[in-house]
């Protein structure tokens, strides 16, 4: 059945893929974005669709619309972007959550929060399970994002317990794919852009830190499954690909797939950079019958193709 769905941060990397999938499934979509890190070019191909509406709005301020479901994605996500204006990052996480939860409560909409593996900080438990409370520095340069997202999870749970709002929380692990911002400083986009330009590939630190990379299409499938599950499973649930790689392995793979002449160089490791990250996805498999299907090599091939055509 067709639904009216609000996607905040809908002009961003993940949001634009989500809007597209929801429209393809026959829904009406309202995309709300202030275009801080998102861009019209991410959604321009959807604008001819009469069931797609774009609203320029900052979620730190209240919003009045009537919808059945809300996906709350508005928040800069790359360390370079979220550290650019850290106060605004905490504001969008916390005030944005309060405003969207207030809206959900008033109009009785179901609401999903795009939380993050960053709530685990620099994790002492590996792989990360949802029951792990994390190891987060409250006063570091990543705290605006980590603590903002942790507070948003608290607000979601309290609106649920106190007001009966139908919530869903997913913890997204490192996601990549077409429409990533070429200058957002994230490792996958940095390495691909550097390799395509035959520039030095910049590894921070010794490159032994790990991440587990999920292709965006897998994430979108998991998000929609989580929103539509009617079994009262509210999460939090990890949505990520458990295949774990060091940054050195990623650099070598990108060089191989692009046939680049780039050389690897080592730069200073940023403060509080997590040493390892890998989701335990047993809960998503059990409750949502979900698991990723696209491996790193195949996902990188699609992403490299996109960057070849855009940069
Ligand atoms: P993105 O920066 O491409 O998208 C974020 C979008 O939110 C942008 O379009 C931006 O303009 C918009 N936005 C920012 N502040 C806003 C405000 N005040 N009001 C309205 N819109 C605002 O990042 P993304 O990678 O697409 O991430 C989307 C969501 O997923 C974020 O909430 C992020 O925390 C979460 N997430 C992403 C990853 C990842 O690996 N990409 C991992 C974990 C969680
Ligand atoms: N990284 C790197 N070179 C880059 C960009 C990032 O070695 O040009 C490293 C970074 O230090 C981190 C990992 O890659 O250890 C992932 O960084 P990203 O910013 O993509 O995401 P996050 O740290 O939030 O997982």
């Amino acid at each position: 059945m067709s639904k009216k769905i609000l996607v905040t941060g809908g002009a961003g990397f993940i949001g634009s893929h989500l809007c597209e999938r929801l429209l393809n499934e026959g829904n009406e979509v309202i995309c709300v974005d202030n275009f801080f890190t998102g861009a019209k070019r991410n959604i321009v191909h959807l604008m001819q669709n009469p069931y797609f509406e774009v609203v320029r709005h900052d979620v730190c301020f209240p919003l009045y619309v009537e919808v059945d479901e809300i996906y709350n994605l508005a928040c800069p996500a790359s360390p370079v972007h979220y550290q650019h204006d850290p106060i605004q990052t905490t504001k969008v996480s916390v005030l944005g959550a309060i405003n969207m939860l207030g809206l959900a409560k008033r109009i009785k909409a179901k609401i999903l929060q795009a939380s993050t593996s960053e709530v685990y900080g620099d994790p002492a438990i590996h792989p990360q399970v949802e029951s792990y409370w994390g190891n987060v520095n409250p006063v570091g340069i990543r705290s605006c994002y980590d603590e903002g997202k942790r507070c948003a999870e608290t607000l979601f749970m309290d609106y649920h317990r106190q007001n009966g709002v139908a919530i869903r929380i997913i913890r997204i692990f490192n996601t990549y794919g077409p429409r990533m911002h070429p200058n957002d400083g994230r490792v996958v986009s940095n390495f691909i852009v550097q390799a395509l330009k035959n520039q030095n590939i910049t590894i921070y630190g010794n490159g032994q830190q790990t991440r587990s990379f999920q292709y965006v299409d897998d994430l979108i499938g998991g998000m929609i499954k989580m929103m539509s599950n009617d079994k009262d499973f509210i999460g939090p649930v990890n949505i990520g690909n458990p295949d774990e790689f060091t940054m050195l392995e990623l650099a070598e793979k990108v060089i191989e797939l692009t046939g680049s002449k780039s050389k690897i160089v080592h730069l200073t490791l940023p403060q509080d950079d997590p040493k390892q990250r890998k989701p335990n996805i047993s809960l998503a498999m059990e409750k949502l019958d979900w698991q990723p299907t696209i491996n790193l090599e195949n996902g990188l091939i699609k992403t490299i193709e996109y960057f070849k055509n855009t940069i």
Side-chain angles (χ1 to χ4, degrees):
M1 200 186 68
S2 169
K3 285 175 276 199
K4 271 197 203 145
I5 303 176
L6 168 63
V7 179
T8 76
F13 157 51
I14 295 172
S16 63
H17 287 275
L18 179 62
C19 289
E20 188 172 329
R21 181 85 66 94
L22 293 170
L23 285 167
N24 286 343
E25 291 182 358
N27 299 294
E28 265 184 60
V29 174
I30 302 176
C31 161
V32 164
D33 206 295
N34 70 348
F35 298 102
F36 173 48
T37 52
K40 282 197 181 153
R41 69 173 172 279
N42 290 338
I43 48 170
V44 72
H45 62 295
L46 306 175
M47 285 180 178
Q48 298 309 316
N49 187 329
Y51 296 102
F52 183 62
E53 215 175 316
V54 183
V55 180
R56 183 184 288 264
H57 174 81
D58 181 337
V59 294
C60 294
F61 299 93
L63 177 73
Y64 298 93
V65 289
E66 297 288 330
V67 291
D68 305 304
E69 292 177 352
I70 304 169
Y71 287 85
N72 188 37
L73 276 67
C75 183
S78 87
V80 170
H81 284 152
Y82 72 63
Q83 288 165 19
H84 169 74
D85 187 349
I87 296 172
Q88 180 60 22
T89 299
T90 304
K91 276 190 184 173
V92 64
S93 298
V94 177
L95 296 178
I98 291 172
N99 286 325
M100 291 310 113
L101 284 161
L103 175 66
K105 177 184 163 190
R106 189 172 58 79
I107 62 177
K108 298 189 172 40
K110 215 188 221 183
I111 179 166
L112 178 143
Q113 169 68 353
S115 189
T116 167
S117 52
E118 282 286 316
V119 300
Y120 302 122
D122 188 4
I125 299 272
H126 194 75
Q128 290 77 57
V129 281
E130 290 84 351
S131 54
Y132 176 49
W133 291 355
N135 175 34
V136 175
N137 177 358
V139 293
I141 55 171
R142 294 176 86 100
S143 313
C144 57
Y145 184 72
D146 298 11
E147 298 289 17
K149 288 284 189 177
R150 284 168 69 95
C151 183
E153 285 199 12
T154 307
L155 284 161
F156 268 70
M157 289 308 299
D158 285 333
Y159 268 79
H160 174 68
R161 282 187 288 246
Q162 199 175 324
N163 297 128
V165 174
I167 63 150
R168 302 284 184 267
I169 300 173
I170 59 167
R171 293 183 178 153
I172 303 171
F173 282 64
N174 294 64
T175 303
Y176 68 98
R179 301 194 204 127
M180 288 183 91
H181 197 296
N183 299 325
D184 74 2
R186 282 189 269 205
V187 70
V188 174
S189 43
N190 266 13
F191 285 3
I192 292 178
V193 171
Q194 289 162 346
L196 290 176
K197 293 183 172 172
N198 291 311
Q199 294 170 344
N200 287 340
I201 305 257
T202 55
I203 290 191
Y204 302 158
N206 63 12
Q208 291 307 314
Q209 71 271 37
T210 68
R211 295 292 187 275
S212 306
F213 298 103
Q214 153 175 253
Y215 188 68
V216 64
D217 289 358
D218 281 332
L219 166 64
I220 301 301
M223 279 180 129
I224 291 175
K225 273 199 162 180
M226 183 58 175
M227 180 65 105
S228 57
N229 100 75
D230 280 328
K231 295 177 207 138
D232 290 337
F233 173 58
I234 62 173
V237 62
N238 292 336
I239 301 287
N241 188 322
D243 291 343
E244 185 183 10
F245 296 88
T246 66
M247 294 311 99
L248 198 58
E249 287 170 331
L250 177 70
E252 283 162 354
K253 185 118 249 46
V254 169
I255 291 175
E256 178 198 320
L257 294 175
T258 50
S260 172
K261 297 188 183 63
S262 293
K263 299 271 171 294
I264 290 174
V265 295
H266 291 267
L267 303 181
T268 314
L269 189 68
Q271 192 194 320
D272 293 341
D273 200 275
K275 286 180 273 306
Q276 53 182 1
R277 189 181 288 150
K278 168 184 164 124
N280 176 317
I281 58 163
S282 308
L283 195 61
M285 288 166 76
E286 182 203 324
K287 299 282 189 187
L288 305 175
D289 191 24
W290 175 88
Q291 62 181 41
T293 59
I294 300 161
N295 68 20
L296 183 64
E297 179 154 331
N298 288 333
L300 283 178
I301 291 169
K302 292 175 206 263
T303 312
I304 290 166
E305 202 47 43
Y306 167 79
F307 278 111
K308 264 189 196 160
N309 295 327
T310 43
I311 58 172

